[in-house]
């Protein structure tokens, strides 16, 4: 344990699986007290329980990050149980697959509600607390898709591009409060979300090989992104704000 996050209190949304779950584990290993937020009670609680069993400090909050009332309640729980948060990882996200002419209006709105509006809602609740604590670090989950035009993901790619620019706006506004805001832009990562995407394809194996070939370093693992999140959460990145941190296996170098 390097103790890079000692004495810090972190909230991670979408922490029940994938990058969120791995980030919660690594944040705790680095000394942070971690609040895992998710709609999935069983798996979200299991992540917190595993951290506690390993000697770390963690709690779980059931929270739909598109619901302002639930966010306010979860934030109050964190303050009561752990203290004032100084790290927020807005990790929750979904991926709607389908061409522009095929996506329903409801799916389009849901994509933006989870991937973009949730960052606004959660940050709105947590920034005043961070300000009281003297500052902190906010990490917003974006994607390589913010920079690459994947034709089957118009809702997803445009939502992630919105996250990158929202992050820049937040970074400029809250720098005076000692709150840094950066976006994290992963390449294709072997998560359950990715496997669910493949399962919707007529030939999952062929699509997987095609996507893997697009990335010079191949498809990544959740820990590859979780370690980047540790860096952004820590004081090691104290001079970074507004930046889209690319951890994308080289796809943008082609």
């Amino acid at each position: 344990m390097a103790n890079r996050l000692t004495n810090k209190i972190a909230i991670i949304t979408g922490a029940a699986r994938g990058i969120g779950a791995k980030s919660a584990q690594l944040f705790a290993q680095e000394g942070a007290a971690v609040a895992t937020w998710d709609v999935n009670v069983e798996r979200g609680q299991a992540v917190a329980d595993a951290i506690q069993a390993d000697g770390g400090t963690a709690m779980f909050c059931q929270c739909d990050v598109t619901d302002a009332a639930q966010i306010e309640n979860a934030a109050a729980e964190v303050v009561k149980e752990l203290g004032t948060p100084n790290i927020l990882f807005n990790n929750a996200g979904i991926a709607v697959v389908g061409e522009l002419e095929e996506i329903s209006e409801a799916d389009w709105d849901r994509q933006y509600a989870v991937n973009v509006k949730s960052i606004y809602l959660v940050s709105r609740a947590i920034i005043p607390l961070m300000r009281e604590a003297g500052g902190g670090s906010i990490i917003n989950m974006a994607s390589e898709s913010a920079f690459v035009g994947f034709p089957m993901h118009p809702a997803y790619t445009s939502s992630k591009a919105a996250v990158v620019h929202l992050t820049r706006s937040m970074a400029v506004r809250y720098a005076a409060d000692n709150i840094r805001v950066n976006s994290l832009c992963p390449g294709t990562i072997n998560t359950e979300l990715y496997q669910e995407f493949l399962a919707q394809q007529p030939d999952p194996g062929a699509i997987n090989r095609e996507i893997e070939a697009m990335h010079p370093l191949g498809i990544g693992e959740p820990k590859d992104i979780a370690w980047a999140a540790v860096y952004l959460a820590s004081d090691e990145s104290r001079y970074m704000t507004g930046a889209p941190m690319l951890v994308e296996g080289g796809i943008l170098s082609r």
Side-chain angles (χ1 to χ4, degrees):
M1 181 183 296
N3 298 316
R4 296 157 78 186
L5 302 180
T6 298
N7 298 323
K8 295 187 183 293
I9 298 169
I11 294 171
I12 302 176
T13 69
R17 63 180 191 170
I19 294 169
K22 191 64 179 179
S23 296
Q25 177 192 350
L26 295 185
F27 278 31
Q29 286 181 5
E30 292 293 326
V34 180
T36 61
W37 289 18
D38 208 282
V39 292
N40 189 318
V41 176
E42 182 177 355
R43 296 189 62 171
Q45 184 65 60
V47 173
D49 290 345
I51 290 171
Q52 292 175 334
D54 199 37
T57 301
M59 65 178 293
F60 169 69
C61 297
Q62 181 181 9
C63 183
D64 178 345
V65 291
T66 67
D67 186 311
Q70 290 189 37
I71 291 166
E72 293 290 345
N73 290 338
E77 287 182 43
V78 173
V79 172
K80 180 179 178 181
E81 296 297 325
L82 300 179
T84 305
N86 44 27
I87 298 169
L88 169 61
F89 186 6
N90 283 308
N91 168 73
I94 60 173
V96 173
V97 180
E99 295 184 8
L100 188 71
E101 297 168 76
E102 300 171 349
I103 300 172
S104 70
E105 187 174 349
D107 281 345
W108 183 277
D109 289 345
R110 178 65 176 164
Q111 179 74 91
Y112 270 76
V114 177
N115 287 14
V116 185
K117 187 179 180 180
S118 71
I119 293 176
Y120 146 66
L121 291 174
V122 177
S123 298
R124 184 179 69 173
I126 302 303
I127 284 173
L129 303 176
M130 278 192 176
R131 187 184 291 118
E132 291 176 11
S137 174
I138 298 175
I139 306 162
N140 295 329
M141 181 60 86
S143 169
E144 65 182 6
S145 298
F147 307 94
V148 179
F150 291 109
M152 289 298 292
H153 295 274
Y156 181 77
T157 58
S158 59
S159 75
K160 291 303 186 180
V163 170
V164 170
H165 205 69
L166 172 59
T167 298
R168 289 173 172 144
S169 178
M170 293 170 65
V172 174
R173 170 61 182 84
Y174 295 108
D177 296 308
N178 196 35
I179 297 173
R180 298 183 299 105
V181 191
N182 294 287
S183 58
L184 183 51
C185 305
T188 300
I189 305 300
N190 185 26
T191 62
E192 291 181 44
L193 187 66
Y194 178 60
Q195 293 301 321
E196 289 166 1
F197 158 72
L198 288 178
Q200 298 175 52
Q201 307 307 309
D203 189 343
I207 294 296
N208 184 66
R209 289 189 294 273
E210 179 182 344
I211 292 174
E212 185 171 23
M214 293 169 64
H215 299 74
L217 294 181
I219 293 171
E221 295 295 330
K223 66 180 180 181
D224 299 322
I225 309 307
W227 279 121
V230 168
Y231 172 72
L232 291 176
S234 76
D235 294 337
E236 295 172 11
S237 59
R238 61 185 297 273
Y239 198 55
M240 281 183 68
T241 198
M245 186 174 183
L246 299 166
V247 190
E248 35 69 82
I251 188 173
L252 295 178
S253 297
R254 288 195 176 280

